[in-house]
Amino acid sequence: MFGRQSGLGSSSNSSNLVEFRAGRMNMVGKMVHPDSRKGLVYMTQSEDGLMHFCWKDRTSGKVEDDLIVFPDDFEYKRVDQCKTGRVYVLKFKSSTRRMFFWIQEPKTDKDEEHCRRINELLNNPPSAHQRGGGGSNDGDLQYMLNNMSQQQLMQLFGGVGQMGGLSSLLGQMNSRTPSSRNTSSSGGGGASALQTPENVSVPRTPSAPTRGSKSGSSRSSNANSQGAGEAAGSAGSSLDADASGKNSTTATTTASEATGPYANPFQAYLSNLSPEHGAGRSLNIDLSTALSGSEAINTLIADPERVKSLIVHLPESEDADEDRKQQIKDHITSPQFQQALAHFSNALQWAQLGPVVKQFELSSEAVAAAYAGNLEDFVKALEKSLPAGATMASGGEATEKKAGSEPETPVAVARDENTDPAEKQEEKQK
Amino acid sequence: VFFGEMAEAAPESIAMPTESSDGSWCLIESDPGVFTELIRGFGVTGAQVEEIWTLDADAFHHLEPIHGLIFLFKWVQDDQPAGRIVNDRKDIFFTRQVITNACATQALLSLLLNLRHSDIDLGETLNGFKKFCQDLDPISRGLCLSNEEKIRTVHNSFARPVLFEMEMRQSVPDDDIYHFVGYMPINGHLYELDGMQQGPIELAEIGQGKNWLDVVRPIIEARMQRYSVGEIHFNLMALVSDRQRSYERQIQLLVHQPSLLTPEERHSEIANLRTYVKFEQEKKRRYRQENLRRRHNYLPFIIELLKQLGETGQLMPIYEKAKLRAMQCEAAAVLKFRQER
């Protein structure tokens, strides 16, 4: 599944998720000069789950660039300005910084695939180890943050220009050692920058990272999914709207007193981010961030019946001979599709898709979840669906799902009847 | 039947909520593939748009002739015109911008309608529009453009299909506005064409025999510098002649005309040019594919895909992973926000 390079001899590291021979180009002033040294571009995942984008000098063996890359912070794409097209740029979305590379692989046939792979890994890294069951997500995040060095955190969350604020923040984080735990009231205990979450719950979109590109293909320049920026933006505002009550009560506790099982107040704050109650509204979950590059798609398209049912909903390919499985994969990794899926995820969580979902042949629970704006319940409902073949375009008919095909089971789908969909579902599940 | 509005914007394009559809202009992406297809859609032949990463003379050279440059940036209110505004020039076709969403088309047209180059044929629609508006003032021209159905239809065809009706705007509206500005040489002078200004801005004289790029380079670099310091996003695109044609022409010249090169050199050069031609063809194919995807309504596919993933028990792990991502992004945003305060 990952692009392993064989035949690269001693420079190949089998634990690299992708690698290919490429040289650097150095920006000196306003000019970009190719660096003639033989090099290797590769990506790995460190033990703490972080993704690294690296460049190594193949002759000296020295790793000269080792960047921690966080989803939706970077985009890797071909530079069309260049005649032969074997120059690529790693574009930093939140700044104007760029790094250029020129491909040194003798054959061009894998250029696009490498580019795609890099973008997948940049934006959809393989999952960090799961720690326990459903509540493990908090654990993962904290484990990750817990294990980052100061330098890594700085790289993660800002740049050189922002070092001042961040180092003071980190300084305060470090000073809240377990020994300083006490149960003083909010007034005492020395306020730190890791203050009341209510201060934090206002990341308005202008200061949140701008929505960047999630590139699924080499040319996928600007067409991007909602991804991080939107998540940050609307999560911020919904934290404000939905959880401000919750935040203000925990504010005093997290700011100054014992941080419980967490090493510092920041982690305690982060734990509050997990949507315990409600429909996961404090976070905007974008399904497209986890779909691309996943084995799940391969599993589906291994089944020709499934391929048929899926391809029916895709536009006709220019090339009649094009492999249908590849077509499906290409669409799924395309930025256009990812954007559509991100939009869908977003709209569903904002309870906008009840009427829309109703028009497809999904279960009543799925419809109810859509009306309620509960993505998790929607997913659960789909997992309880009928087995394969029962609802798909069975018999191979190429029918597109149309509006008007109402589900047969009588179900209260009108908005006012769904006042307690959560309850309804609980009843049904019992 | 699905209808309605898409409230959020594609990145690097104008982030404004779309208006209702009828006679209005939709948001489109600022992507060289989109722009190239857009101008072809207007009926222009012999031109394409390329994204520019560096103004380094060498990197530029093979793209020449460069007919104009488009600078895309987040609009900053305090931008003073960099030169004097000239309002009375008959030889410059200037159009005021009256529609925000039409920004991209507006910038492209401001270059195209001032072009007189043998490589490029504006085609019937644009020639017709230009003729019709020749004697009008810039604002009237802007209004005519906003009502020009053919142009608007092509422009809107690059907007993504609306997947479903929305009751409310689910995303926090982004208050940033992106803007496009054109740079081009007209009759020996360098101009900045910005539909938001009162008229064309005269920046500099281009001396006899001088390459206009050498004149515009420091000006754009200074602008980029200013924007980099403030970490303002910008993009630079060049309006160039159709490159495939240009390479093919060069091949023809090498094949049919006596040359100073040795036979080996000639062969090698022809082989190179053939590679470049292939690359351009591949690029065009890619653009068409991207446009196909842009226009496609993915909703039925999404539902079918999620259904299948659910049936095979793979949807929940995907959901969990997406949830983790969302938390990571939130954490990042929180820290970033703190720093900025």
Side-chain angles (χ1 to χ4, degrees), chain B residues 2 11 30 46 48 60 101 114 135-136 150 204 206 246 273 295:
Chain B
F2 302 99
S30 61
Q48 71 190 65
F60 250 128
N101 284 358
N114 281 298
D135 297 321
L136 299 177
K150 278 196 216 122
I206 302 167
S246 152
L273 288 167
R295 293 184 181 134

Side-chain angles (χ1 to χ4, degrees), chain A residues 30-31 70 77-85 89 91 93-95 98 112 123-125 127 137-138 141 144 157 162 169 193 195 200 205 207 210-211 219 221-224 226 228 230 232 235 237 239 270 273 283-286 289-291 296 299-300 306 309-310 313-316 318 330-331 334 336-337 339 341 343-344 346-347 350 352-353 356 359-362 375-376 379-380 382-383 386 388 391-392 401 403, chain B residues 1-2 6 8-12 29-32 50-54 56 59-60 62-63 74 160 163-168 170-174 221 228 231-235 243 247 276 279 282-283 285-288 290 292-294 296 298-341:
Chain A
K30 310 129 193 170
M31 316 247 283
F70 205 56
K77 58 193 214 179
R78 179 151 52 171
V79 174
D80 279 328
Q81 182 182 3
C82 169
K83 257 199 276 214
T84 53
V89 60
K91 194 175 167 188
K93 286 181 200 166
S94 58
S95 81
R98 278 134 198 200
E112 229 183 274
N123 296 302
N124 294 290
S127 302
N137 291 322
D138 289 348
L141 182 57
M144 188 182 89
F157 292 128
Q162 288 155 333
L169 168 70
Q195 274 277 356
V200 177
T205 343
S207 33
T210 49
R211 254 166 282 137
R219 178 55 224 134
S221 57
N222 314 310
N224 289 303
Q226 299 297 99
E230 174 102 50
S237 52
L239 258 185
L270 279 178
L273 288 183
L283 278 180
N284 187 328
I285 299 171
D286 174 1
T289 60
L291 188 60
T299 309
L300 289 184
R306 292 191 183 279
S309 336
L310 285 170
H313 302 296
L314 292 177
E316 289 229 7
E318 209 179 74
D330 287 346
H331 272 275
S334 78
Q336 292 80 22
F337 170 78
Q339 249 174 323
L341 182 55
H343 184 210
F344 178 89
N346 192 333
W350 282 87
Q352 295 295 298
L353 293 188
V356 165
Q359 292 167 11
F360 291 96
E361 285 169 4
L362 296 177
L375 183 58
E376 183 157 340
V379 166
K380 282 189 191 144
L382 290 185
E383 294 234 311
L386 298 167
T391 52
M392 236 85 27
K401 303 276 186 266
Chain B
V1 172
F2 302 99
M6 280 188 86
E8 84 288 358
E12 290 191 83
E29 294 164 52
S30 61
D31 165 277
E50 291 292 333
E51 188 164 6
I52 299 292
W53 295 95
T54 158
D56 170 10
F60 250 128
H62 66 286
L63 287 176
K74 258 194 231 178
R160 268 165 293 126
L163 299 193
F164 33 77
E165 181 183 349
M166 305 286 290
E167 273 179 17
M168 56 178 258
Q170 81 279 26
S171 52
V172 176
D174 197 320
E221 277 167 358
S228 300
E231 295 242 335
I232 296 175
H233 282 239
F234 61 83
N235 248 23
R243 291 170 66 186
Y247 297 138
Y276 304 156
F279 177 59
E282 164 57 34
K283 203 197 287 182
R285 192 192 66 84
R286 222 187 325 135
Y287 287 172
R288 281 197 300 272
E290 283 166 12
L292 199 62
R293 290 183 186 144
R294 258 177 216 115
H296 184 65
Y298 275 112
L299 185 59
F301 181 75
I302 288 173
I303 298 277
E304 182 62 31
L305 184 65
L306 295 181
K307 229 203 292 195
Q308 291 197 23
L309 288 169
E311 282 160 13
T312 51
Q314 300 179 100
L315 189 55
M316 188 52 86
I318 286 174
Y319 168 78
E320 293 289 339
K321 188 171 163 192
K323 191 161 107 173
L324 175 62
R325 287 276 170 281
M327 293 178 66
Q328 290 169 340
C329 293
E330 168 69 15
V334 159
L335 279 187
K336 265 192 174 124
F337 174 72
R338 284 188 172 289
Q339 292 158 45
E340 284 162 14
R341 281 173 71 226

Side-chain angles (χ1 to χ4, degrees), chain A residues 42 44 98 156 162 179 233 358 393 428:
Chain A
Y42 63 94
T44 61
R98 278 134 198 200
L156 188 61
Q162 288 155 333
S179 60
K358 183 177 147 196
K428 284 187 179 146

Side-chain angles (χ1 to χ4, degrees), chain B residues 51-203:
Chain B
E51 188 164 6
I52 299 292
W53 295 95
T54 158
L55 285 173
D56 170 10
D58 291 333
F60 250 128
H61 189 65
H62 66 286
L63 287 176
E64 297 193 55
I66 298 186
H67 307 293
L69 293 171
I70 298 178
F71 193 81
L72 156 71
F73 61 102
K74 258 194 231 178
W75 197 37
V76 276
Q77 188 73 44
D78 56 5
D79 240 4
Q80 291 295 327
R84 73 184 183 103
I85 297 181
V86 292
N87 264 321
D88 48 350
R89 301 285 296 272
K90 294 287 175 200
D91 59 339
I92 303 178
F93 190 93
F94 181 76
T95 311
R96 284 291 295 274
Q97 185 174 314
V98 298
I99 306 264
T100 312
N101 284 358
C103 212
T105 290
Q106 176 97 25
L108 284 167
L109 292 183
S110 71
L111 297 183
L112 288 167
L113 296 173
N114 281 298
L115 259 187
R116 254 162 245 111
H117 195 280
S118 54
D119 283 348
I120 298 178
D121 177 2
L122 287 187
E124 204 184 305
T125 304
L126 293 190
N127 275 324
F129 175 79
K130 185 172 178 182
K131 199 163 161 201
F132 183 74
C133 296
Q134 191 63 52
D135 297 321
L136 299 177
D137 65 279
I139 293 188
S140 302
R141 285 179 185 154
L143 288 168
C144 280
L145 177 60
S146 66
N147 289 323
E148 174 57 54
E149 203 190 309
K150 278 196 216 122
I151 295 179
R152 186 182 67 225
T153 307
V154 172
H155 171 107
N156 285 344
S157 73
F158 286 86
R160 268 165 293 126
V162 178
L163 299 193
F164 33 77
E165 181 183 349
M166 305 286 290
E167 273 179 17
M168 56 178 258
R169 305 206 179 285
Q170 81 279 26
S171 52
V172 176
D174 197 320
D175 292 321
D176 306 315
I177 297 177
Y178 282 83
H179 191 51
F180 297 73
V181 154
Y183 290 89
M184 75 183 289
I186 303 176
N187 292 333
H189 282 83
L190 175 64
Y191 293 94
E192 182 180 318
L193 301 171
D194 179 354
M196 297 298 284
Q197 300 282 357
Q198 303 283 351
I201 299 170
E202 192 176 279
L203 292 175

